[in-house]
Amino acid sequence: MGIPDSAQAIVIGGGVAGCSVAYHLARLGWRDVVLVERHELTEGTTWHSAGFVGQLRSTVTQTRMIMYSAGLYAELAELTGLDPGWHGVGGLRLATTPARVEELVRQAGAAETYGLEMSLLSGRQTNDLMPLLHDEDILASLWLPGDGWLDPASLARALAEGAAKLGVRVVTGVRVTGIDVVDGSVQGVRLAGATSEEEWTIRAETVVNCAGAAAGRVGALAGVDVPIVPIKHQYVVTHPADIPASTPTVRDPDNIVYFREQDGGILVGGYIRSPEVWEVADPLAESRLLFPPNLPKFRESWASARHRLPIIAKRTSDDFDESQVARIVHGPEAFTPDGEFLLGETAVRGFWVAAGFCVHGLAAAGGVGKVMAEWIVTGVPEYDLFGMDVRRFGDYAGSSRWARAKALDAYSKYYDIVYPGEERAAARPLRRSPAWPRHAELGAAFGEKAGWERVNWFDSGTLAEVRAGAGGRPLGWAGRVWSPAVREECLATRDAAGLFDQTSFAKLEVSGPKALATLQHLCAGQLDRKVGAVVYTQLLNHRGGIEADLTVTRLAEDRFRLVTGTAYGTHDAAWLRRHGLDVQDVTSAYACYCLWGPQAHAILERLSDDDLGFPYLQARQITVAHVPVLAQRVTFVGEYGWELYCPAEYGLTLWDALMEAGLPYGMRPGGYRAIDSMRLEKGYRVWGLDITPETTPYEAGLGFAVHEGKEFLGKDALTREPERTLRCLVLDDPRRVCLGGEPVRVDGAPASRVTSGGYGHRVDASIAYAYLRGRPENVTVGVDGTWVAARVVERTPYDPGHERVRSRPARSSR
């Protein structure tokens, strides 16, 4: 069979994902690559994909990956001589409810920021474009001429042929029986004949798991949990009806149906509300597997198709049966807990994953191969991939029940409108802080992040008063998931104090004789400070992009604690380990409560006999109400106060003590929505929104955190005068509030997009941030379809001189 003894990389899976990864690795110069497939190419899940390519997605990274994919097809045809099966017929997304029209308007704004060609059409214009549609209930549609559909098998074969022409060896008819791992690193793959007892081993230090619905089983061979949930998905193809091949693709999400032309007929699919998981020990053991038709589950989508397409209604009846269609495809699709790809390196060094295509993955297959190859070869992909990173989940993702509950929820709501800030209840609660029972008693509205239950706000009914802001409830989408309690929590923090439970902070500890030197190399800031120093810094990649944003506290000469965002602990720890550090995740070992506000000193002084007068960005070990506490003079809201860390078993005691001492001073407990409002007023950045691996500290206005007097990773790529910088915008209309992703224009021309936005209750202003060139004056922001004038402010709206953070605190009168 010609299987080599070793390879530079092994790609497992001959579907569109594996073929794309192999092709792009070869394009970057890795020619000694072996792709192995149990059956023939595409015979897992790729072959039965519906093939839709919709370029407009919910994030800029998703959209860029699909736009790249669309541009790849001509290149493949020229290289291979094979038609990749691309049909550039354009695509329509329909709205039949006012809420869906609002969504289309926001999506149209996003399309502008992505550089996508699109048009927002009325119902009549939609029908003029596609007369086949019943349009009486169509209120609007979004037309994307760059959309279309692919023949999945043709695309995979073209990618495989392209890879082979570049030197990749494609081996079919072999199954993976084992993955060799030594000292936490992959060393090779064991294979056996699909129908024989012959066995082989290929040595390799890079293995990419592209096994689709079988990716979980393959991951288990390496001791890695890959939360893939195979779900049964169904579509039908009608008998030929002279449908033109130029017919656009159509998505009608209000009616959970999609369709396109296929062989002169119509391919009709949909996302049912009661999906089924396919649970077997060895998924895809059989080639070209399909399940028996389940027409009762398909009735809603079929009825929607008959309503939308009169030509189908004329040829079929309400009593749906197999005789009315030419073909029924009911096959497995690989879903993930949040409906997004699983990409990146796992905890086993050299063992990578590119799986979880979740029905829409064929559209981005080219982009997946591109970013995976860049990641493997150079260490950093071009785009920010955290939302797709396999490390975005914690250890809890190893629970098949958790993954299944989340995936079924994601599938069943795939076409639902997702309002920013909306919370879903599947597989909750999971991780809870010691003070969670008290939050529940106070009527907390909980959100979830990385499995943690976190307070968004405390029910306004528990407040003595609710003071209206200058704008009141925001207009549009910003006013949907909203509470007046957030304002009260912000004002209490400004006027007295706020108490916030941030136990979910990810906490990492690094120690040993090489800790300082290695951290100095990885962090842009100066860490060689006295014990007790707290340093705000970033971890940069070789391009100068921000891989992590965190604080580092020096607990001892050779021991440091790094505190990062709730969802980023696994990601940041992996980055540190990749560069040789031994990292201990101590997140669950410590509770963290943040006491901030002008009365914070007086409140804490009632509970502690220790000296609390230590300066900003310093940490001290103190005792608070008998509880041992590491107090850090740090703030994320721009008020005086501390982050208070204690061992988890003391957490409830400490919370109760702080509440009892603080309430007489006007202190209120607060949630994450108040924190977000206050950090916007202070200009504090959030990783993943305002700063990413694609932005540098100088672009983000974080040059103060860079210590140029030392060498560090990424330093050579930095420039002190970047072409664009993150600017603070204050909108003229305070009731128009940004949620992130809104288009920004300068002098009427598209210029940028909002990275994050919200309402600042302490300054009564609508605030947004965007990367802009120079010092523009004529700036407008598109909020829910309305263009709102905004001014660029040079200093942060709240306390630009930082007096409140560093001011002498109020003292108690005890």
Side-chain angles (χ1 to χ4, degrees):
M1 190 173 286
I3 296 177
D5 293 332
S6 64
Q8 194 170 10
I10 301 169
V11 178
I12 300 172
V16 70
C19 292
S20 183
V21 169
Y23 171 71
H24 284 88
L25 282 172
R27 271 186 50 176
L28 291 184
W30 281 32
R31 306 301 171 87
D32 184 17
V33 175
V34 178
L35 184 152
V36 296
E37 164 58 42
R38 186 171 192 169
H39 308 294
E40 295 301 316
L41 295 180
T42 82
E43 291 191 349
T45 56
T46 293
W47 72 277
H48 61 69
S49 169
F52 279 66
V53 176
Q55 296 183 83
L56 181 58
R57 295 292 171 177
S58 60
T59 71
V60 64
T61 295
Q62 292 171 333
T63 302
R64 289 163 72 185
M65 288 169 65
I66 296 174
M67 291 173 70
Y68 167 84
S69 298
L72 177 65
Y73 309 132
E75 173 187 310
L76 282 173
E78 182 178 351
L79 175 65
T80 67
L82 298 178
D83 177 8
W86 170 241
H87 301 260
V89 294
L92 286 166
R93 188 176 179 92
L94 310 182
T96 62
T97 63
R100 190 69 68 174
V101 173
E102 292 177 353
E103 182 188 50
L104 291 193
V105 168
R106 285 185 59 85
Q107 289 176 330
E112 176 178 308
T113 73
Y114 302 154
L116 272 179
E117 183 183 357
M118 59 83 201
S119 300
L120 190 61
L121 307 180
S122 67
R124 175 53 60 186
Q125 290 172 320
T126 303
N127 185 266
D128 290 342
L129 182 66
M130 189 173 172
L132 286 172
L133 298 178
H134 171 74
D135 69 332
E136 289 184 3
D137 59 342
I138 297 176
L139 303 180
S141 71
L142 201 60
W143 164 243
L144 290 127
D147 283 5
W149 62 277
L150 283 160
D151 176 71
S154 295
L155 173 61
R157 283 194 291 267
L159 286 165
E161 180 65 17
K165 284 183 176 294
L166 293 175
V168 172
R169 187 174 304 191
V170 178
V171 180
T172 59
V174 294
R175 55 192 171 91
V176 176
T177 59
I179 296 175
D180 294 329
V181 176
V182 179
D183 294 331
S185 297
V186 71
Q187 297 295 305
V189 174
R190 282 173 276 141
L191 304 169
T195 58
S196 70
E197 298 301 319
E198 196 171 3
E199 296 182 347
W200 307 267
T201 295
I202 307 177
R203 297 187 305 277
E205 295 182 354
T206 298
V207 175
V208 191
N209 177 3
C210 302
R217 183 191 70 83
V218 172
L221 296 176
V224 170
D225 291 316
V226 179
I228 290 292
V229 180
I231 292 179
K232 298 178 180 181
H233 184 74
Q234 192 168 204
Y235 65 80
V236 303
V237 180
T238 71
H239 296 290
D242 298 321
I243 304 300
S246 60
T247 300
T249 65
V250 178
R251 293 172 176 81
D252 187 356
D254 288 323
N255 297 289
I256 61 171
V257 67
Y258 60 80
F259 47 88
R260 64 167 176 82
E261 183 272 341
Q262 176 73 54
D263 300 327
I266 297 286
L267 182 154
V268 178
Y271 294 89
I272 62 176
R273 296 297 186 185
S274 55
E276 293 182 26
V277 171
W278 180 43
E279 295 185 275
V280 293
D282 189 8
L284 305 184
E286 178 185 341
S287 67
R288 302 179 71 85
L289 171 79
L290 288 178
F291 309 118
N294 190 337
L295 297 186
K297 281 188 175 291
F298 199 69
R299 290 188 184 280
E300 183 177 359
S301 294
W302 180 248
S304 295
R306 295 185 73 252
H307 167 74
R308 188 61 60 215
L309 291 165
I311 192 170
I312 293 182
K314 289 178 182 178
R315 293 168 175 256
T316 62
S317 66
D318 289 327
D319 188 15
F320 183 40
D321 60 48
E322 293 185 43
S323 66
Q324 298 185 52
V325 295
R327 185 181 176 207
I328 299 174
V329 177
H330 191 197
E333 296 286 354
F335 260 74
T336 65
D338 57 4
E340 190 49 87
F341 300 131
L342 294 177
L343 307 179
E345 191 175 24
T346 69
V348 172
R349 290 186 299 277
F351 186 68
W352 298 73
V353 173
F357 274 35
C358 304
V359 180
H360 62 273
L362 189 80
V368 167
K370 164 189 159 62
V371 297
M372 285 294 296
E374 292 168 346
W375 212 343
I376 292 167
V377 174
T378 72
V380 179
E382 179 181 358
Y383 310 144
D384 170 24
L385 292 180
F386 179 75
M388 308 175 190
D389 195 324
V390 66
R391 297 165 299 185
R392 67 188 181 272
F393 303 120
D395 292 342
Y396 50 86
S399 164
S400 60
R401 292 192 178 192
W402 177 88
R404 184 167 59 248
K406 284 289 192 180
L408 288 171
D409 182 66
Y411 181 103
S412 66
K413 298 174 181 176
Y414 187 78
Y415 268 163
D416 285 6
I417 297 173
V418 180
Y419 294 104
E422 191 173 65
E423 302 286 351
R424 291 184 172 177
R428 294 176 56 191
L430 184 60
R431 307 171 78 182
R432 290 180 271 188
S433 105
W436 183 89
R438 300 292 188 262
H439 304 334
E441 291 168 3
L442 289 174
F446 288 102
E448 180 268 338
K449 194 166 189 178
W452 281 98
E453 293 294 313
R454 311 192 314 173
V455 177
N456 282 334
W457 61 75
F458 287 94
D459 189 280
S460 60
T462 67
L463 302 177
E465 60 178 328
V466 177
R467 293 171 278 185
R473 179 185 289 270
L475 300 173
W477 276 23
R480 297 188 69 94
V481 185
W482 177 89
S483 170
V486 174
R487 177 176 179 81
E488 196 66 21
E489 293 166 12
C490 293
L491 298 183
T493 305
R494 179 195 68 185
D495 299 336
L499 181 63
F500 302 88
D501 185 347
Q502 295 202 272
T503 296
S504 66
F505 271 161
K507 313 166 194 78
L508 310 173
E509 291 200 1
V510 176
S511 60
K514 296 182 180 180
L516 175 60
T518 307
L519 286 173
Q520 280 282 75
H521 171 67
L522 296 179
C523 296
Q526 175 58 266
L527 301 188
D528 193 6
R529 301 176 185 272
K530 293 181 179 180
V531 172
V534 181
V535 178
Y536 169 61
T537 188
Q538 289 78 42
L539 308 180
L540 308 184
N541 57 43
H542 69 268
R543 298 195 306 247
I546 300 171
E547 288 289 339
D549 181 70
L550 36 73
T551 60
V552 181
T553 302
R554 192 168 194 177
L555 302 177
E557 292 294 329
D558 61 350
R559 180 176 168 230
F560 299 82
R561 181 179 297 170
L562 288 65
V563 177
T564 186
T566 297
Y568 310 141
T570 304
H571 170 276
D572 294 359
W575 182 265
L576 297 168
R577 290 176 181 132
R578 181 188 301 177
H579 292 89
L581 285 171
D582 182 13
V583 182
Q584 301 298 315
D585 188 332
V586 296
T587 300
S588 300
Y590 297 97
C592 175
Y593 307 130
C594 298
L595 178 62
W596 292 316
Q599 294 294 331
H601 193 283
I603 294 167
L604 199 61
E605 195 175 37
R606 296 185 65 86
L607 299 171
S608 179
D609 296 325
D610 295 302
D611 180 11
L612 304 178
F614 53 93
Y616 185 57
L617 293 180
Q618 292 291 314
R620 296 289 187 274
Q621 193 70 43
I622 65 174
T623 300
V624 179
H626 314 306
V627 175
V629 168
L630 178 69
Q632 299 194 165
R633 276 277 283 114
V634 177
T635 180
F636 197 55
V637 301
E639 301 286 357
Y640 181 95
W642 300 269
E643 293 174 357
L644 303 171
Y645 296 86
C646 72
E649 67 268 26
Y650 296 99
L652 186 57
T653 299
L654 180 59
W655 178 268
D656 287 344
L658 291 168
M659 285 290 291
E660 183 179 358
L663 290 178
Y665 288 85
M667 183 196 80
R668 290 189 185 278
Y672 273 82
R673 298 297 169 80
I675 291 174
D676 193 54
S677 170
M678 292 185 281
R679 72 92 188 168
L680 285 166
E681 295 171 311
K682 281 294 296 177
Y684 294 147
R685 281 46 169 157
V686 169
W687 192 83
L689 298 176
D690 308 304
I691 51 179
T692 74
E694 299 182 47
T695 58
T696 71
Y698 289 111
E699 289 176 322
L702 298 175
F704 66 88
V706 176
H707 187 80
E708 294 190 343
K710 71 182 183 80
E711 296 301 316
F712 55 86
L713 180 63
K715 180 180 179 180
D716 293 342
L718 296 180
T719 174
R720 292 178 63 89
E721 298 181 0
E723 294 182 358
R724 58 169 196 163
T725 54
L726 188 64
R727 309 305 296 271
C728 178
L729 309 177
V730 175
L731 280 62
D732 285 359
D733 184 350
R735 294 194 67 189
R736 298 287 180 182
V737 176
C738 294
L739 297 169
E742 291 83 0
V744 179
R745 293 178 179 176
V746 174
D747 296 325
S752 188
R753 64 195 303 270
V754 170
T755 59
S756 63
Y759 189 82
H761 293 279
R762 295 177 298 187
V763 298
D764 277 325
S766 177
I767 301 168
Y769 289 84
Y771 282 91
L772 296 169
R773 297 175 184 271
R775 301 177 182 275
E777 294 184 357
N778 184 18
V779 178
T780 53
V781 182
V783 186
D784 297 325
T786 299
W787 288 98
V788 184
R791 71 181 193 279
V792 178
V793 297
E794 295 300 322
R795 306 182 76 194
T796 58
Y798 184 73
D799 187 29
H802 309 294
E803 287 87 359
R804 295 181 70 90
V805 174
R806 295 183 171 90
S807 63
R808 180 181 293 274
R811 301 179 67 86
S812 72
S813 57
R814 63 177 185 180

